[in-house]
């Protein structure tokens, strides 16, 4: 059994999940099948990844083969920014469920605290290349998401890319019905998120780390930026345990009780990323990794830096 984190709704969320961002639709069905075959039970997706039909096909293939039952899986999706107006939230969730061919998802996240202009454009930009706001308030969006829980479409709701003040705003919302179950944020040894993780954990909100390897394949990556997988101190730790840098970078989160999403469509890497439960990093090695922090972000969200709810201007 893969270790799990108990969420504030009582559900157990497997601590390691398969990420599906930038997983090409032609490959993601096989990646999901490969992952479930290797032991993964947590699949992380989103409307904006534009591949939920294929993710669903991979899930159903493994259910149909009798490898898993639906209730063995923990499936995550995310509400995209152009559906923040409360009247659009349920339709967006229903579209995700239709694409996945599932009756419910285990966890549905607000992908960003920022609502954007409704329509077919995923990133509606103005002439300055800034995203166009829909003027919505994420507290109203949250209330509409709470209704999805009551309707049985989702088992739990959470947030993603929220800073401390935005998270606190939800917790302090008058008439709050459900607390966020998790906050999914960029996190790795160059961005250790100590304060935000500590805050969320103190409020009973789990944390999920995306980009644990620094997302080296993201389209805007440049050759000048630091590379976690090539970081000498991480390579040295990996050698010591006879593991790969990727395995050490994934293990780093598990030891902080942080759920972690590792994305790959390569069969041997999908398997390799899962082989992280047979060793433990020493306290010294954890401290070396924590000491690499430089508050470097692979996802600086420049396209939204002028949005009223841009989350990255505050300290944490």
């Amino acid at each position: 059994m893969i270790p799990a984190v108990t969420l504030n709704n009582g559900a157990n969320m497997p601590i390691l999940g398969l990420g599906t961002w930038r997983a090409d639709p032609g490959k993601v069905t096989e990646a999901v099948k490969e992952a479930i075959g290797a032991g993964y039970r947590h699949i992380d997706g989103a409307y904006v990844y534009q591949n939920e039909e294929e993710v669903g096909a991979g899930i159903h293939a493994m259910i149909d083969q009798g490898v898993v039952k639906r209730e063995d899986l923990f499936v995550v999706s995310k509400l995209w920014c152009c559906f923040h107006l409360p009247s659009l939230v349920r339709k967006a969730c229903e579209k995700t469920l239709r694409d996945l061919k599932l009756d419910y998802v285990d966890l549905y996240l607000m992908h960003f605290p920022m609502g954007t202009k409704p329509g077919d454009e995923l990133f509606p930009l103005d002439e300055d290349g800034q995203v166009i706001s829909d003027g919505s308030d994420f507290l109203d969006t949250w209330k509409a998401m709470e209704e999805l829980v009551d309707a049985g479409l989702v088992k739990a709701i959470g947030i993603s890319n929220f800073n401390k003040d935005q998270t606190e705003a939800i917790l302090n919302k008058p008439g709050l019905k459900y607390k966020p179950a998790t906050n999914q944020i960029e996190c790795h040894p160059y961005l250790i998120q100590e304060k935000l993780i500590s805050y969320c954990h103190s409020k009973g909100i789990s944390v999920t780390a995306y980009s644990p390897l620094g997302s080296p394949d993201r389209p805007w990556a440049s050759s000048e930026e630091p590379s976690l997988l090539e970081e000498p101190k991480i390579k040295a730790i990996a050698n010591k345990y006879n593991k790969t840098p990727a395995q050490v970078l994934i293990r780093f989160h598990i030891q902080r009780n942080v759920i972690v999403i590792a994305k790959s469509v390569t069969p041997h890497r999908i398997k390799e990323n899962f082989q992280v439960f047979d060793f433990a990093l020493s306290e010294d090695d954890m401290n070396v990794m924590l000491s690499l922090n430089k508050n470097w972000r692979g996802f600086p969200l420049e396209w939204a830096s002028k949005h009223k709810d841009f989350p990255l201007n505050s300290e944490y």
Side-chain angles (χ1 to χ4, degrees):
M1 278 294 286
I2 168 173
V5 170
T6 303
L7 303 180
N8 55 28
N9 70 337
N12 288 323
M13 182 169 180
I15 201 160
L16 174 57
L18 177 76
T20 59
W21 180 62
R22 289 190 55 70
D24 157 8
K27 292 183 180 157
V28 72
T29 298
E30 285 309 313
V32 169
K33 286 161 64 176
E34 191 73 44
I36 293 172
Y40 289 74
R41 294 296 177 262
H42 164 190
I43 310 291
D44 179 85
Y47 175 86
V48 77
Y49 303 163
Q50 300 281 281
N51 59 9
E52 291 195 305
E53 281 187 54
E54 293 79 10
V55 169
I59 289 170
H60 285 287
M62 296 310 265
I63 292 175
D64 293 346
Q65 287 172 34
V67 178
V68 283
K69 299 187 181 74
R70 167 65 186 96
E71 55 271 25
D72 300 331
L73 296 174
F74 195 98
V75 181
V76 182
S77 185
K78 308 181 192 87
L79 176 77
W80 186 240
C81 304
C82 58
F83 303 113
H84 275 218
L85 294 172
S87 61
L88 303 177
V89 169
R90 181 160 177 157
K91 292 185 185 76
C93 181
E94 287 172 339
K95 167 79 168 102
T96 279
L97 292 175
R98 268 200 313 280
D99 286 351
L100 290 168
K101 296 190 171 57
L102 295 176
D103 298 330
Y104 67 91
V105 289
D106 296 272
L107 178 61
Y108 196 55
L109 306 179
M110 197 184 313
H111 206 145
F112 286 97
M114 307 173 287
T116 61
K117 187 178 117 181
D120 295 333
E121 269 186 281
L122 293 173
F123 291 90
L125 302 178
D126 64 18
E127 57 278 10
D128 299 322
Q130 282 291 313
V131 78
I132 300 165
S133 171
D134 61 0
S136 65
D137 181 331
F138 61 74
L139 295 178
D140 298 329
T141 310
W142 186 256
K143 183 170 186 288
M145 288 175 67
E146 291 179 321
E147 291 166 12
L148 303 175
V149 180
D150 292 335
L153 301 179
V154 308
K155 299 278 190 200
I157 49 177
I159 53 183
S160 182
N161 300 294
F162 274 55
N163 64 31
K164 180 216 175 221
D165 291 342
Q166 292 169 330
T167 307
E168 197 162 49
I170 289 192
L171 293 175
N172 292 338
K173 177 187 171 305
L176 180 73
K177 195 163 186 187
Y178 302 113
K179 275 169 51 163
T182 201
N183 186 9
Q184 184 178 129
I185 55 176
E186 179 180 352
C187 189
H188 41 68
Y190 292 156
L191 182 70
I192 60 173
Q193 299 274 23
E194 194 95 66
K195 288 182 173 174
L196 188 52
I197 291 171
S198 173
Y199 171 76
C200 289
H201 283 173
S202 77
K203 298 293 181 186
I205 300 171
S206 69
V207 174
T208 303
Y210 71 78
S211 190
L213 314 179
S215 291
D217 71 338
R218 62 192 195 293
W220 56 90
S222 80
S223 53
E224 285 82 72
E225 63 191 30
S227 163
L228 284 160
L229 292 168
E230 298 299 325
E231 173 66 49
K233 287 179 177 169
I234 288 172
K235 286 167 91 167
I237 291 170
N239 288 337
K240 177 170 147 186
Y241 294 92
N242 206 16
K243 289 288 182 180
T244 64
Q247 287 169 326
V248 163
L249 287 163
I250 292 165
R251 181 73 201 176
F252 169 74
H253 297 286
I254 293 170
Q255 288 187 214
R256 302 176 85 196
N257 203 32
V258 167
I259 300 150
V260 54
I261 303 301
K263 179 256 164 178
S264 179
V265 292
T266 314
H268 77 269
R269 287 219 184 103
I270 290 172
K271 288 194 186 83
E272 176 191 293
N273 290 346
F274 200 73
Q275 305 302 313
V276 291
F277 301 108
D278 56 355
F279 77 109
L281 297 164
S282 69
E283 195 177 341
D284 286 349
D285 290 327
M286 284 294 290
N287 287 333
V288 168
M289 292 177 76
L290 290 164
S291 76
L292 295 170
N293 183 52
K294 48 180 89 167
N295 293 323
W296 174 82
R297 289 179 186 277
F299 294 81
L301 316 182
E302 280 121 340
W303 49 274
S305 60
K306 305 272 195 302
H307 193 288
K308 71 181 174 72
D309 295 314
F310 180 68
L312 306 184
N313 283 337
S314 63
E315 186 205 347
Y316 68 98

